[in-house]
Amino acid sequence: MLSTIRVEMHRIARGAQTSPVRETGSSVCAVFDGSGTVSVGDTTWSVTRGDLFVVPSWQPFSARSEAGATDSDSGALDLFRFSDSPVFEALRLDRRETVP
């Protein structure tokens, strides 16, 4: 177990979209299954199974599932996320906010 890296799995239901969030700490996301669009800062692009992308510190991030019945076992967009958030939490420098 590494106390400086957090690993999370996020499932975004077909047709759903996450609210834009920015936080201290950076993350790397891998698209485990499904397809959709992601927005990081002012850039938006399509993703599908096997794609990797980075979310730099304090950049707004949101994702929308556009997974179809034929491109996803779960019918959702599944993201596997690695982040360095525990470092900022230990230093009491962590912040997170939803972007309006």
Side-chain angles (χ1 to χ4, degrees):
M1 179 170 124
L2 294 172
S3 60
T4 57
I5 296 179
R6 177 168 296 140
V7 178
E8 302 170 322
M9 190 74 165
H10 296 270
R11 174 165 283 168
I12 303 165
R14 183 180 302 140
Q17 181 169 341
T18 64
S19 297
V21 172
R22 62 183 181 177
E23 60 188 4
T24 53
S26 301
S27 60
V28 175
C29 296
V31 180
F32 185 76
D33 197 15
S35 61
T37 56
V38 296
S39 296
V40 177
D42 294 331
T43 305
T44 300
W45 65 95
S46 296
V47 295
T48 190
R49 183 187 303 193
D51 288 346
L52 294 169
F53 60 93
V54 175
V55 181
S57 179
W58 212 241
Q59 290 296 306
F61 166 71
S62 65
R64 177 175 174 74
S65 175
E66 296 170 356
T70 59
D71 74 339
S72 173
D73 294 337
S74 65
L77 175 61
D78 293 332
L79 301 176
F80 194 63
R81 179 179 179 224
F82 301 86
S83 75
D84 58 2
S85 295
V87 173
F88 291 91
E89 291 167 3
L91 296 171
R92 297 184 183 187
L93 296 173
D94 60 310
R95 290 188 332 181
R96 178 182 171 100
E97 74 177 23
T98 302
V99 180

